Amino acid sequence: MAEVEQETGSIPITGGCQCGRVRYRADAIPGRTGYCHCRQCQRAFGNVFAVLTSVRRATLAWDGIAPTYFVSSPLARRGFCASCGTPLTFEYPDSEVVEIAVGSLDDPGLVRPTSHSGVESQVAWLALDDGLPRRCTEDDPAYRARCAALLPSGGAASGRFG
C-alpha cells in the first residue's frame, strides 16, 4: 500500500471508473479528504456516505472519455461514467477544487479522511468513532456563501444544494 498523505505538498493520484472508459490523473490536496453524509451524496453514491478527496481543478486531466455530468442542484454537479455508472466527482463549477470519489482512485490508500461533513443526515446506526471533526452542511462557510448568492433570502437550504 502507498504511503499515507502528508500535511504539505500534493499527492499525485490516478483513477477511473469500473469499466475503464473514464480515467483521470490529478494532484490531491493533503488533508482535504473526508466523509460526506449529506442526503445528496447518499443518493449519488447509493450508500450511507461518500468519501471524497479534493484535487486542484488545474491539475485534473481526463484520459480517454470525459465523465458525463448530472446537475444535482443549482449549485453543484456530479461527474459519472455514462457506460458503467461509477460516481467520480462532486464540484461547484465556480470552484478551483474538484472532489474526487476516493473509491475511484487506483490506490484509495493514498489519502485518509480528516473530517465528516453533512452529519445532519448521518444514519443513526452508523458508528464511526474516529475522533475526526464533524460539521453540518449548513455550517460550511463556502456552502453558505454559495446559497446566499443564489437565494434571495441569503439562507442555506437544508442540504438541498449538493
Side-chain angles (χ1 to χ4, degrees), residues 65-88:
I65 64 169
T68 298
Y69 291 95
F70 172 69
V71 178
S72 58
S73 78
L75 296 177
R77 69 183 190 168
R78 294 170 183 273
F80 65 97
C81 175
S83 295
C84 67
T86 300
L88 297 165

Side-chain angles (χ1 to χ4, degrees), residues 134-144:
R134 296 171 176 276
R135 107 175 139 203
C136 292
T137 302
E138 293 179 5
D139 292 338
D140 177 353
Y143 174 81
R144 291 191 64 75

Side-chain angles (χ1 to χ4, degrees), residues 1-14:
M1 180 182 278
E3 183 176 320
V4 176
E5 66 187 307
Q6 302 300 309
E7 292 298 316
T8 60
S10 64
I11 304 157
I13 59 171
T14 57

Side-chain angles (χ1 to χ4, degrees), residues 2 4 13 16 18 20 42 47 55 57 67 79 85 98 112 118 121 144 149 155:
V4 176
I13 59 171
Q18 188 172 8
Q42 289 173 354
N47 202 339
V55 303
R57 185 181 300 276
V98 175
R112 177 183 295 173
S121 299
R144 291 191 64 75

